[in-house]
Amino acid sequence: MVSVTVWNEFLEEQTNDEVASVYPDGIHEVLAAGLRERGHEVRTATLEEPDHGLTPEVLEETDVLVWWEHRAHEDVDDEVVDRVCQQIYDGMGFVPLHSAHFSKPFKRLMGTPCSLNYRESRERERVWTVDPSHPITAGLNDSFVIPETEMYGEPFAVPEPEQLVFVSWFEGGEVFRSGCCYTRGTGRIFYFRPGHETYPVYHEDVVLDVLDNAVDWAAPRTERSVSTENSSVEPRE
Ligand code: ZN
């Protein structure tokens, strides 16, 4: 069983009627329920909690941190970002979703602008599996459709993924690298594009199935190591 923390800024669900109609209890609750149904142990954390709900104790108990963020990027405290990134370097998995491409942790881990093109016009998306041997694609068909979504288009200003798992096609003709795997330190990162606060993308079973696989893939394989700076070692004989 993987111990998952789902983090959400949890702002627009409380202030925007259109968002609240799709995610009345918050996007984090829909993601958490979907992952619990699939056998994971899930807690949630939000921006307004002390330490944004991400205390050292919570992060130490977290195997994989799932991150939803849309507009609060600059409101996330740098000290929490330091703590999150350090845990990832030490082996915690990280699954940033959709507009979390502009989150502070993802941008720091990538070291690039992470910019992209977008258009919000309720378009159809077909997500293609381009690496059927990858564990994140287990049990999936060669492609799946999200009926209504926001378009994200290339160029996506990230480093070349270590494994590219999904590529999306949109009705308007654009394509996008929708499932990108990285390692930073000993932590595994999976950026997953689908999602948007005004479309019911996270109510789609296939999207939750991908996240189920992603959480299994990103979980640490061994006891979490704790990195130390410049640790001194004895010479070997
Ligand atoms: Zn969006």
Side-chain angles (χ1 to χ4, degrees), residues 7 9 11-12 47 52 67-78 81 96-107 113-114 152 191 197:
W7 190 85
E9 61 180 29
L11 298 174
E12 285 175 295
L47 182 72
H52 310 320
W67 194 280
W68 167 267
E69 195 179 289
H70 171 229
R71 67 167 198 214
H73 310 307
E74 290 311 310
D75 299 325
V76 176
D77 193 89
D78 286 325
V81 176
L97 302 174
H98 188 64
S99 40
H101 69 94
F102 267 162
S103 66
K104 281 183 180 176
F106 186 64
K107 287 179 74 174
C114 301
Y152 273 13
Y191 170 80
E197 64 280 3

PDB file of all heavy atoms in Angstrom, residues 7 9 11-12 47 52 67-78 81 96-107 113-114 152 191 197:
ATOM      1  N   TRP A   7      -2.110  17.127  -2.566  1.00  0.00           N
ATOM      2  CA  TRP A   7      -2.093  18.542  -2.197  1.00  0.00           C
ATOM      3  C   TRP A   7      -2.892  19.345  -3.211  1.00  0.00           C
ATOM      4  O   TRP A   7      -2.792  19.123  -4.424  1.00  0.00           O
ATOM      5  CB  TRP A   7      -0.648  19.073  -2.154  1.00  0.00           C
ATOM      6  CG  TRP A   7      -0.589  20.446  -1.545  1.00  0.00           C
ATOM      7  CD1 TRP A   7      -0.517  20.732  -0.218  1.00  0.00           C
ATOM      8  CD2 TRP A   7      -0.623  21.708  -2.235  1.00  0.00           C
ATOM      9  NE1 TRP A   7      -0.512  22.102  -0.031  1.00  0.00           N
ATOM     10  CE2 TRP A   7      -0.576  22.717  -1.243  1.00  0.00           C
ATOM     11  CE3 TRP A   7      -0.697  22.082  -3.571  1.00  0.00           C
ATOM     12  CZ2 TRP A   7      -0.593  24.083  -1.560  1.00  0.00           C
ATOM     13  CZ3 TRP A   7      -0.728  23.436  -3.896  1.00  0.00           C
ATOM     14  CH2 TRP A   7      -0.667  24.425  -2.895  1.00  0.00           C
ATOM     15  N   GLU A   9      -4.309  23.546  -3.867  1.00  0.00           N
ATOM     16  CA  GLU A   9      -4.412  24.931  -3.378  1.00  0.00           C
ATOM     17  C   GLU A   9      -5.822  25.180  -2.816  1.00  0.00           C
ATOM     18  O   GLU A   9      -5.975  25.957  -1.893  1.00  0.00           O
ATOM     19  CB  GLU A   9      -4.073  25.925  -4.503  1.00  0.00           C
ATOM     20  CG  GLU A   9      -5.000  25.836  -5.686  1.00  0.00           C
ATOM     21  CD  GLU A   9      -4.656  26.830  -6.792  1.00  0.00           C
ATOM     22  OE1 GLU A   9      -3.487  27.200  -6.933  1.00  0.00           O
ATOM     23  OE2 GLU A   9      -5.586  27.227  -7.517  1.00  0.00           O
ATOM     24  N   LEU A  11      -8.705  26.741  -3.802  1.00  0.00           N
ATOM     25  CA  LEU A  11      -9.159  28.136  -3.781  1.00  0.00           C
ATOM     26  C   LEU A  11     -10.418  28.315  -4.624  1.00  0.00           C
ATOM     27  O   LEU A  11     -11.445  28.754  -4.139  1.00  0.00           O
ATOM     28  CB  LEU A  11      -8.052  29.061  -4.304  1.00  0.00           C
ATOM     29  CG  LEU A  11      -6.760  29.079  -3.489  1.00  0.00           C
ATOM     30  CD1 LEU A  11      -5.709  29.923  -4.188  1.00  0.00           C
ATOM     31  CD2 LEU A  11      -7.023  29.601  -2.080  1.00  0.00           C
ATOM     32  N   GLU A  12     -10.315  27.938  -5.893  1.00  0.00           N
ATOM     33  CA  GLU A  12     -11.423  28.270  -6.787  1.00  0.00           C
ATOM     34  C   GLU A  12     -12.678  27.443  -6.524  1.00  0.00           C
ATOM     35  O   GLU A  12     -13.784  27.901  -6.804  1.00  0.00           O
ATOM     36  CB  GLU A  12     -10.971  28.136  -8.244  1.00  0.00           C
ATOM     37  CG  GLU A  12     -10.088  29.313  -8.577  1.00  0.00           C
ATOM     38  CD  GLU A  12      -9.491  29.224  -9.964  1.00  0.00           C
ATOM     39  OE1 GLU A  12      -8.697  28.316 -10.201  1.00  0.00           O
ATOM     40  OE2 GLU A  12      -9.831  30.072 -10.773  1.00  0.00           O
ATOM     41  N   LEU A  47      -3.455  24.587   0.786  1.00  0.00           N
ATOM     42  CA  LEU A  47      -2.663  25.819   0.940  1.00  0.00           C
ATOM     43  C   LEU A  47      -2.909  26.521   2.271  1.00  0.00           C
ATOM     44  O   LEU A  47      -1.975  27.007   2.916  1.00  0.00           O
ATOM     45  CB  LEU A  47      -3.019  26.770  -0.208  1.00  0.00           C
ATOM     46  CG  LEU A  47      -2.271  28.094  -0.279  1.00  0.00           C
ATOM     47  CD1 LEU A  47      -0.828  27.881  -0.724  1.00  0.00           C
ATOM     48  CD2 LEU A  47      -2.973  29.055  -1.242  1.00  0.00           C
ATOM     49  N   HIS A  52       1.004  24.790   4.812  1.00  0.00           N
ATOM     50  CA  HIS A  52       0.226  24.255   3.672  1.00  0.00           C
ATOM     51  C   HIS A  52      -0.095  22.768   3.880  1.00  0.00           C
ATOM     52  O   HIS A  52      -0.275  22.022   2.910  1.00  0.00           O
ATOM     53  CB  HIS A  52       0.975  24.420   2.337  1.00  0.00           C
ATOM     54  CG  HIS A  52       1.511  25.796   2.081  1.00  0.00           C
ATOM     55  ND1 HIS A  52       0.810  26.939   2.391  1.00  0.00           N
ATOM     56  CD2 HIS A  52       2.691  26.212   1.550  1.00  0.00           C
ATOM     57  CE1 HIS A  52       1.533  28.003   2.056  1.00  0.00           C
ATOM     58  NE2 HIS A  52       2.681  27.599   1.550  1.00  0.00           N
ATOM     59  N   TRP A  67       0.173  16.716  -6.727  1.00  0.00           N
ATOM     60  CA  TRP A  67       0.108  18.171  -6.556  1.00  0.00           C
ATOM     61  C   TRP A  67      -0.809  18.814  -7.580  1.00  0.00           C
ATOM     62  O   TRP A  67      -0.522  18.787  -8.774  1.00  0.00           O
ATOM     63  CB  TRP A  67       1.533  18.728  -6.720  1.00  0.00           C
ATOM     64  CG  TRP A  67       1.740  20.136  -6.275  1.00  0.00           C
ATOM     65  CD1 TRP A  67       1.417  21.266  -6.963  1.00  0.00           C
ATOM     66  CD2 TRP A  67       2.377  20.570  -5.062  1.00  0.00           C
ATOM     67  NE1 TRP A  67       1.803  22.371  -6.242  1.00  0.00           N
ATOM     68  CE2 TRP A  67       2.398  21.981  -5.080  1.00  0.00           C
ATOM     69  CE3 TRP A  67       2.934  19.895  -3.971  1.00  0.00           C
ATOM     70  CZ2 TRP A  67       2.945  22.734  -4.040  1.00  0.00           C
ATOM     71  CZ3 TRP A  67       3.489  20.649  -2.932  1.00  0.00           C
ATOM     72  CH2 TRP A  67       3.485  22.050  -2.982  1.00  0.00           C
ATOM     73  N   TRP A  68      -1.929  19.416  -7.089  1.00  0.00           N
ATOM     74  CA  TRP A  68      -2.796  20.219  -7.970  1.00  0.00           C
ATOM     75  C   TRP A  68      -2.604  21.690  -7.616  1.00  0.00           C
ATOM     76  O   TRP A  68      -2.705  22.086  -6.460  1.00  0.00           O
ATOM     77  CB  TRP A  68      -4.277  19.873  -7.808  1.00  0.00           C
ATOM     78  CG  TRP A  68      -5.105  20.920  -8.489  1.00  0.00           C
ATOM     79  CD1 TRP A  68      -5.644  22.041  -7.918  1.00  0.00           C
ATOM     80  CD2 TRP A  68      -5.409  21.000  -9.880  1.00  0.00           C
ATOM     81  NE1 TRP A  68      -6.264  22.801  -8.871  1.00  0.00           N
ATOM     82  CE2 TRP A  68      -6.137  22.188 -10.082  1.00  0.00           C
ATOM     83  CE3 TRP A  68      -5.130  20.176 -10.984  1.00  0.00           C
ATOM     84  CZ2 TRP A  68      -6.590  22.576 -11.341  1.00  0.00           C
ATOM     85  CZ3 TRP A  68      -5.587  20.564 -12.224  1.00  0.00           C
ATOM     86  CH2 TRP A  68      -6.312  21.738 -12.403  1.00  0.00           C
ATOM     87  N   GLU A  69      -2.362  22.491  -8.617  1.00  0.00           N
ATOM     88  CA  GLU A  69      -2.217  23.926  -8.389  1.00  0.00           C
ATOM     89  C   GLU A  69      -2.605  24.630  -9.671  1.00  0.00           C
ATOM     90  O   GLU A  69      -2.319  24.146 -10.762  1.00  0.00           O
ATOM     91  CB  GLU A  69      -0.762  24.218  -8.044  1.00  0.00           C
ATOM     92  CG  GLU A  69      -0.530  25.581  -7.450  1.00  0.00           C
ATOM     93  CD  GLU A  69       0.956  25.752  -7.134  1.00  0.00           C
ATOM     94  OE1 GLU A  69       1.446  25.123  -6.194  1.00  0.00           O
ATOM     95  OE2 GLU A  69       1.600  26.512  -7.868  1.00  0.00           O
ATOM     96  N   HIS A  70      -3.255  25.767  -9.533  1.00  0.00           N
ATOM     97  CA  HIS A  70      -3.662  26.489 -10.738  1.00  0.00           C
ATOM     98  C   HIS A  70      -3.223  27.945 -10.700  1.00  0.00           C
ATOM     99  O   HIS A  70      -2.634  28.450 -11.627  1.00  0.00           O
ATOM    100  CB  HIS A  70      -5.177  26.374 -10.921  1.00  0.00           C
ATOM    101  CG  HIS A  70      -5.711  27.235 -12.000  1.00  0.00           C
ATOM    102  ND1 HIS A  70      -6.787  28.061 -11.850  1.00  0.00           N
ATOM    103  CD2 HIS A  70      -5.276  27.410 -13.271  1.00  0.00           C
ATOM    104  CE1 HIS A  70      -7.001  28.721 -12.978  1.00  0.00           C
ATOM    105  NE2 HIS A  70      -6.106  28.339 -13.855  1.00  0.00           N
ATOM    106  N   ARG A  71      -3.499  28.630  -9.603  1.00  0.00           N
ATOM    107  CA  ARG A  71      -3.183  30.070  -9.618  1.00  0.00           C
ATOM    108  C   ARG A  71      -2.365  30.524  -8.417  1.00  0.00           C
ATOM    109  O   ARG A  71      -1.992  31.688  -8.329  1.00  0.00           O
ATOM    110  CB  ARG A  71      -4.463  30.875  -9.720  1.00  0.00           C
ATOM    111  CG  ARG A  71      -5.341  30.770  -8.485  1.00  0.00           C
ATOM    112  CD  ARG A  71      -6.439  31.824  -8.518  1.00  0.00           C
ATOM    113  NE  ARG A  71      -6.977  32.003  -7.182  1.00  0.00           N
ATOM    114  CZ  ARG A  71      -8.245  32.286  -6.925  1.00  0.00           C
ATOM    115  NH1 ARG A  71      -9.104  32.433  -7.891  1.00  0.00           N
ATOM    116  NH2 ARG A  71      -8.652  32.434  -5.681  1.00  0.00           N
ATOM    117  N   ALA A  72      -2.103  29.641  -7.454  1.00  0.00           N
ATOM    118  CA  ALA A  72      -1.482  30.062  -6.190  1.00  0.00           C
ATOM    119  C   ALA A  72       0.037  29.935  -6.201  1.00  0.00           C
ATOM    120  O   ALA A  72       0.668  30.011  -5.147  1.00  0.00           O
ATOM    121  CB  ALA A  72      -2.048  29.233  -5.041  1.00  0.00           C
ATOM    122  N   HIS A  73       0.612  29.767  -7.395  1.00  0.00           N
ATOM    123  CA  HIS A  73       2.039  29.435  -7.457  1.00  0.00           C
ATOM    124  C   HIS A  73       2.895  30.293  -6.530  1.00  0.00           C
ATOM    125  O   HIS A  73       3.715  29.791  -5.769  1.00  0.00           O
ATOM    126  CB  HIS A  73       2.555  29.576  -8.896  1.00  0.00           C
ATOM    127  CG  HIS A  73       1.706  28.876  -9.910  1.00  0.00           C
ATOM    128  ND1 HIS A  73       1.368  27.550  -9.802  1.00  0.00           N
ATOM    129  CD2 HIS A  73       1.111  29.316 -11.035  1.00  0.00           C
ATOM    130  CE1 HIS A  73       0.604  27.200 -10.836  1.00  0.00           C
ATOM    131  NE2 HIS A  73       0.435  28.260 -11.597  1.00  0.00           N
ATOM    132  N   GLU A  74       2.698  31.608  -6.585  1.00  0.00           N
ATOM    133  CA  GLU A  74       3.567  32.504  -5.809  1.00  0.00           C
ATOM    134  C   GLU A  74       3.225  32.526  -4.320  1.00  0.00           C
ATOM    135  O   GLU A  74       3.977  33.069  -3.517  1.00  0.00           O
ATOM    136  CB  GLU A  74       3.523  33.926  -6.384  1.00  0.00           C
ATOM    137  CG  GLU A  74       4.201  34.044  -7.745  1.00  0.00           C
ATOM    138  CD  GLU A  74       5.598  33.406  -7.780  1.00  0.00           C
ATOM    139  OE1 GLU A  74       6.413  33.701  -6.878  1.00  0.00           O
ATOM    140  OE2 GLU A  74       5.877  32.604  -8.686  1.00  0.00           O
ATOM    141  N   ASP A  75       2.080  31.963  -3.950  1.00  0.00           N
ATOM    142  CA  ASP A  75       1.684  31.960  -2.530  1.00  0.00           C
ATOM    143  C   ASP A  75       2.244  30.771  -1.767  1.00  0.00           C
ATOM    144  O   ASP A  75       2.041  30.654  -0.554  1.00  0.00           O
ATOM    145  CB  ASP A  75       0.151  31.947  -2.404  1.00  0.00           C
ATOM    146  CG  ASP A  75      -0.452  33.185  -3.048  1.00  0.00           C
ATOM    147  OD1 ASP A  75       0.185  34.253  -2.976  1.00  0.00           O
ATOM    148  OD2 ASP A  75      -1.544  33.070  -3.637  1.00  0.00           O
ATOM    149  N   VAL A  76       2.904  29.871  -2.461  1.00  0.00           N
ATOM    150  CA  VAL A  76       3.462  28.701  -1.779  1.00  0.00           C
ATOM    151  C   VAL A  76       4.805  29.102  -1.167  1.00  0.00           C
ATOM    152  O   VAL A  76       5.696  29.611  -1.848  1.00  0.00           O
ATOM    153  CB  VAL A  76       3.609  27.512  -2.760  1.00  0.00           C
ATOM    154  CG1 VAL A  76       4.268  26.328  -2.074  1.00  0.00           C
ATOM    155  CG2 VAL A  76       2.242  27.120  -3.306  1.00  0.00           C
ATOM    156  N   ASP A  77       4.897  28.887   0.134  1.00  0.00           N
ATOM    157  CA  ASP A  77       6.048  29.334   0.912  1.00  0.00           C
ATOM    158  C   ASP A  77       7.339  28.624   0.484  1.00  0.00           C
ATOM    159  O   ASP A  77       7.364  27.402   0.327  1.00  0.00           O
ATOM    160  CB  ASP A  77       5.742  29.016   2.380  1.00  0.00           C
ATOM    161  CG  ASP A  77       6.714  29.699   3.298  1.00  0.00           C
ATOM    162  OD1 ASP A  77       6.438  30.838   3.685  1.00  0.00           O
ATOM    163  OD2 ASP A  77       7.767  29.091   3.606  1.00  0.00           O
ATOM    164  N   ASP A  78       8.395  29.409   0.305  1.00  0.00           N
ATOM    165  CA  ASP A  78       9.659  28.826  -0.168  1.00  0.00           C
ATOM    166  C   ASP A  78      10.224  27.777   0.781  1.00  0.00           C
ATOM    167  O   ASP A  78      10.882  26.831   0.348  1.00  0.00           O
ATOM    168  CB  ASP A  78      10.694  29.936  -0.393  1.00  0.00           C
ATOM    169  CG  ASP A  78      10.380  30.734  -1.653  1.00  0.00           C
ATOM    170  OD1 ASP A  78       9.892  30.127  -2.630  1.00  0.00           O
ATOM    171  OD2 ASP A  78      10.599  31.955  -1.651  1.00  0.00           O
ATOM    172  N   VAL A  81       8.587  24.659  -0.096  1.00  0.00           N
ATOM    173  CA  VAL A  81       9.134  24.181  -1.385  1.00  0.00           C
ATOM    174  C   VAL A  81      10.493  23.513  -1.151  1.00  0.00           C
ATOM    175  O   VAL A  81      10.766  22.430  -1.697  1.00  0.00           O
ATOM    176  CB  VAL A  81       9.255  25.351  -2.388  1.00  0.00           C
ATOM    177  CG1 VAL A  81       9.913  24.887  -3.685  1.00  0.00           C
ATOM    178  CG2 VAL A  81       7.887  25.950  -2.673  1.00  0.00           C
ATOM    179  N   PRO A  96       3.064  15.961 -10.240  1.00  0.00           N
ATOM    180  CA  PRO A  96       2.406  17.237 -10.501  1.00  0.00           C
ATOM    181  C   PRO A  96       1.424  17.100 -11.655  1.00  0.00           C
ATOM    182  O   PRO A  96       1.707  16.438 -12.654  1.00  0.00           O
ATOM    183  CB  PRO A  96       3.569  18.168 -10.873  1.00  0.00           C
ATOM    184  CG  PRO A  96       4.648  17.270 -11.373  1.00  0.00           C
ATOM    185  CD  PRO A  96       4.459  15.931 -10.732  1.00  0.00           C
ATOM    186  N   LEU A  97       0.248  17.718 -11.491  1.00  0.00           N
ATOM    187  CA  LEU A  97      -0.837  17.578 -12.455  1.00  0.00           C
ATOM    188  C   LEU A  97      -1.093  18.884 -13.194  1.00  0.00           C
ATOM    189  O   LEU A  97      -1.119  19.956 -12.581  1.00  0.00           O
ATOM    190  CB  LEU A  97      -2.123  17.182 -11.720  1.00  0.00           C
ATOM    191  CG  LEU A  97      -2.072  15.886 -10.906  1.00  0.00           C
ATOM    192  CD1 LEU A  97      -3.373  15.721 -10.120  1.00  0.00           C
ATOM    193  CD2 LEU A  97      -1.829  14.693 -11.812  1.00  0.00           C
ATOM    194  N   HIS A  98      -1.325  18.773 -14.489  1.00  0.00           N
ATOM    195  CA  HIS A  98      -1.872  19.848 -15.310  1.00  0.00           C
ATOM    196  C   HIS A  98      -1.144  21.177 -15.047  1.00  0.00           C
ATOM    197  O   HIS A  98       0.054  21.276 -15.295  1.00  0.00           O
ATOM    198  CB  HIS A  98      -3.391  19.933 -15.058  1.00  0.00           C
ATOM    199  CG  HIS A  98      -4.108  20.864 -15.972  1.00  0.00           C
ATOM    200  ND1 HIS A  98      -4.195  20.672 -17.315  1.00  0.00           N
ATOM    201  CD2 HIS A  98      -4.801  22.023 -15.719  1.00  0.00           C
ATOM    202  CE1 HIS A  98      -4.902  21.661 -17.861  1.00  0.00           C
ATOM    203  NE2 HIS A  98      -5.263  22.507 -16.909  1.00  0.00           N
ATOM    204  N   SER A  99      -1.867  22.175 -14.505  1.00  0.00           N
ATOM    205  CA  SER A  99      -1.294  23.519 -14.351  1.00  0.00           C
ATOM    206  C   SER A  99      -0.216  23.593 -13.271  1.00  0.00           C
ATOM    207  O   SER A  99       0.390  24.660 -13.081  1.00  0.00           O
ATOM    208  CB  SER A  99      -2.407  24.537 -14.070  1.00  0.00           C
ATOM    209  OG  SER A  99      -3.374  24.014 -13.200  1.00  0.00           O
ATOM    210  N   ALA A 100       0.059  22.489 -12.590  1.00  0.00           N
ATOM    211  CA  ALA A 100       1.209  22.448 -11.681  1.00  0.00           C
ATOM    212  C   ALA A 100       2.528  22.468 -12.459  1.00  0.00           C
ATOM    213  O   ALA A 100       3.599  22.449 -11.856  1.00  0.00           O
ATOM    214  CB  ALA A 100       1.147  21.218 -10.780  1.00  0.00           C
ATOM    215  N   HIS A 101       2.444  22.553 -13.797  1.00  0.00           N
ATOM    216  CA  HIS A 101       3.694  22.754 -14.560  1.00  0.00           C
ATOM    217  C   HIS A 101       4.369  24.062 -14.158  1.00  0.00           C
ATOM    218  O   HIS A 101       5.573  24.212 -14.338  1.00  0.00           O
ATOM    219  CB  HIS A 101       3.423  22.733 -16.075  1.00  0.00           C
ATOM    220  CG  HIS A 101       2.655  23.913 -16.584  1.00  0.00           C
ATOM    221  ND1 HIS A 101       3.273  25.036 -17.090  1.00  0.00           N
ATOM    222  CD2 HIS A 101       1.318  24.150 -16.643  1.00  0.00           C
ATOM    223  CE1 HIS A 101       2.325  25.918 -17.449  1.00  0.00           C
ATOM    224  NE2 HIS A 101       1.148  25.400 -17.185  1.00  0.00           N
ATOM    225  N   PHE A 102       3.557  25.008 -13.610  1.00  0.00           N
ATOM    226  CA  PHE A 102       4.127  26.278 -13.166  1.00  0.00           C
ATOM    227  C   PHE A 102       4.306  26.328 -11.644  1.00  0.00           C
ATOM    228  O   PHE A 102       4.529  27.398 -11.086  1.00  0.00           O
ATOM    229  CB  PHE A 102       3.247  27.443 -13.623  1.00  0.00           C
ATOM    230  CG  PHE A 102       3.647  28.046 -14.948  1.00  0.00           C
ATOM    231  CD1 PHE A 102       2.748  28.833 -15.664  1.00  0.00           C
ATOM    232  CD2 PHE A 102       4.912  27.840 -15.489  1.00  0.00           C
ATOM    233  CE1 PHE A 102       3.103  29.403 -16.887  1.00  0.00           C
ATOM    234  CE2 PHE A 102       5.275  28.401 -16.717  1.00  0.00           C
ATOM    235  CZ  PHE A 102       4.369  29.182 -17.411  1.00  0.00           C
ATOM    236  N   SER A 103       4.163  25.201 -10.965  1.00  0.00           N
ATOM    237  CA  SER A 103       4.355  25.210  -9.505  1.00  0.00           C
ATOM    238  C   SER A 103       5.833  25.411  -9.185  1.00  0.00           C
ATOM    239  O   SER A 103       6.711  25.041  -9.970  1.00  0.00           O
ATOM    240  CB  SER A 103       3.849  23.906  -8.893  1.00  0.00           C
ATOM    241  OG  SER A 103       4.641  22.824  -9.336  1.00  0.00           O
ATOM    242  N   LYS A 104       6.082  26.003  -8.036  1.00  0.00           N
ATOM    243  CA  LYS A 104       7.486  26.224  -7.633  1.00  0.00           C
ATOM    244  C   LYS A 104       8.281  24.924  -7.551  1.00  0.00           C
ATOM    245  O   LYS A 104       9.412  24.877  -8.042  1.00  0.00           O
ATOM    246  CB  LYS A 104       7.538  26.952  -6.288  1.00  0.00           C
ATOM    247  CG  LYS A 104       7.282  28.444  -6.369  1.00  0.00           C
ATOM    248  CD  LYS A 104       7.435  29.040  -4.956  1.00  0.00           C
ATOM    249  CE  LYS A 104       7.203  30.540  -4.939  1.00  0.00           C
ATOM    250  NZ  LYS A 104       7.253  31.068  -3.554  1.00  0.00           N
ATOM    251  N   PRO A 105       7.752  23.854  -6.931  1.00  0.00           N
ATOM    252  CA  PRO A 105       8.583  22.637  -6.861  1.00  0.00           C
ATOM    253  C   PRO A 105       8.923  22.089  -8.248  1.00  0.00           C
ATOM    254  O   PRO A 105      10.070  21.729  -8.512  1.00  0.00           O
ATOM    255  CB  PRO A 105       7.715  21.645  -6.070  1.00  0.00           C
ATOM    256  CG  PRO A 105       6.740  22.477  -5.328  1.00  0.00           C
ATOM    257  CD  PRO A 105       6.496  23.712  -6.160  1.00  0.00           C
ATOM    258  N   PHE A 106       7.941  22.027  -9.154  1.00  0.00           N
ATOM    259  CA  PHE A 106       8.213  21.446 -10.474  1.00  0.00           C
ATOM    260  C   PHE A 106       9.233  22.299 -11.231  1.00  0.00           C
ATOM    261  O   PHE A 106      10.178  21.775 -11.827  1.00  0.00           O
ATOM    262  CB  PHE A 106       6.908  21.304 -11.269  1.00  0.00           C
ATOM    263  CG  PHE A 106       7.093  20.579 -12.582  1.00  0.00           C
ATOM    264  CD1 PHE A 106       7.486  19.249 -12.621  1.00  0.00           C
ATOM    265  CD2 PHE A 106       6.865  21.225 -13.795  1.00  0.00           C
ATOM    266  CE1 PHE A 106       7.666  18.578 -13.827  1.00  0.00           C
ATOM    267  CE2 PHE A 106       7.030  20.565 -15.007  1.00  0.00           C
ATOM    268  CZ  PHE A 106       7.431  19.242 -15.024  1.00  0.00           C
ATOM    269  N   LYS A 107       9.053  23.622 -11.192  1.00  0.00           N
ATOM    270  CA  LYS A 107       9.991  24.479 -11.919  1.00  0.00           C
ATOM    271  C   LYS A 107      11.410  24.343 -11.365  1.00  0.00           C
ATOM    272  O   LYS A 107      12.386  24.316 -12.117  1.00  0.00           O
ATOM    273  CB  LYS A 107       9.534  25.943 -11.859  1.00  0.00           C
ATOM    274  CG  LYS A 107       8.326  26.185 -12.746  1.00  0.00           C
ATOM    275  CD  LYS A 107       7.850  27.620 -12.682  1.00  0.00           C
ATOM    276  CE  LYS A 107       8.800  28.532 -13.444  1.00  0.00           C
ATOM    277  NZ  LYS A 107       8.277  29.907 -13.525  1.00  0.00           N
ATOM    278  N   PRO A 113      11.892  26.996 -17.834  1.00  0.00           N
ATOM    279  CA  PRO A 113      10.679  27.810 -17.636  1.00  0.00           C
ATOM    280  C   PRO A 113       9.368  27.010 -17.517  1.00  0.00           C
ATOM    281  O   PRO A 113       8.400  27.487 -16.947  1.00  0.00           O
ATOM    282  CB  PRO A 113      10.641  28.706 -18.879  1.00  0.00           C
ATOM    283  CG  PRO A 113      12.048  28.756 -19.363  1.00  0.00           C
ATOM    284  CD  PRO A 113      12.635  27.410 -19.048  1.00  0.00           C
ATOM    285  N   CYS A 114       9.325  25.805 -18.082  1.00  0.00           N
ATOM    286  CA  CYS A 114       8.117  24.953 -18.006  1.00  0.00           C
ATOM    287  C   CYS A 114       6.896  25.605 -18.663  1.00  0.00           C
ATOM    288  O   CYS A 114       5.759  25.278 -18.328  1.00  0.00           O
ATOM    289  CB  CYS A 114       7.800  24.545 -16.564  1.00  0.00           C
ATOM    290  SG  CYS A 114       9.135  23.646 -15.763  1.00  0.00           S
ATOM    291  N   TYR A 152      -3.388  21.972 -24.122  1.00  0.00           N
ATOM    292  CA  TYR A 152      -2.003  22.382 -23.868  1.00  0.00           C
ATOM    293  C   TYR A 152      -1.205  21.996 -25.112  1.00  0.00           C
ATOM    294  O   TYR A 152      -1.309  20.856 -25.581  1.00  0.00           O
ATOM    295  CB  TYR A 152      -1.406  21.620 -22.678  1.00  0.00           C
ATOM    296  CG  TYR A 152      -1.657  22.219 -21.302  1.00  0.00           C
ATOM    297  CD1 TYR A 152      -2.592  23.233 -21.090  1.00  0.00           C
ATOM    298  CD2 TYR A 152      -0.932  21.748 -20.208  1.00  0.00           C
ATOM    299  CE1 TYR A 152      -2.796  23.745 -19.825  1.00  0.00           C
ATOM    300  CE2 TYR A 152      -1.142  22.267 -18.936  1.00  0.00           C
ATOM    301  CZ  TYR A 152      -2.080  23.266 -18.747  1.00  0.00           C
ATOM    302  OH  TYR A 152      -2.281  23.775 -17.483  1.00  0.00           O
ATOM    303  N   TYR A 191       5.064  13.928 -14.464  1.00  0.00           N
ATOM    304  CA  TYR A 191       4.175  15.039 -14.808  1.00  0.00           C
ATOM    305  C   TYR A 191       3.061  14.486 -15.683  1.00  0.00           C
ATOM    306  O   TYR A 191       3.323  13.821 -16.694  1.00  0.00           O
ATOM    307  CB  TYR A 191       4.923  16.161 -15.565  1.00  0.00           C
ATOM    308  CG  TYR A 191       3.942  17.172 -16.104  1.00  0.00           C
ATOM    309  CD1 TYR A 191       3.404  18.150 -15.263  1.00  0.00           C
ATOM    310  CD2 TYR A 191       3.483  17.113 -17.416  1.00  0.00           C
ATOM    311  CE1 TYR A 191       2.438  19.036 -15.734  1.00  0.00           C
ATOM    312  CE2 TYR A 191       2.521  17.987 -17.889  1.00  0.00           C
ATOM    313  CZ  TYR A 191       1.998  18.952 -17.043  1.00  0.00           C
ATOM    314  OH  TYR A 191       1.033  19.816 -17.507  1.00  0.00           O
ATOM    315  N   GLU A 197      -9.879  22.705 -13.845  1.00  0.00           N
ATOM    316  CA  GLU A 197     -10.841  22.904 -12.752  1.00  0.00           C
ATOM    317  C   GLU A 197     -12.288  23.044 -13.220  1.00  0.00           C
ATOM    318  O   GLU A 197     -13.200  22.831 -12.422  1.00  0.00           O
ATOM    319  CB  GLU A 197     -10.417  24.090 -11.881  1.00  0.00           C
ATOM    320  CG  GLU A 197     -10.413  25.446 -12.552  1.00  0.00           C
ATOM    321  CD  GLU A 197      -9.167  25.699 -13.414  1.00  0.00           C
ATOM    322  OE1 GLU A 197      -8.320  24.799 -13.551  1.00  0.00           O
ATOM    323  OE2 GLU A 197      -9.077  26.809 -13.965  1.00  0.00           O
TER     324      GLU A 197
END
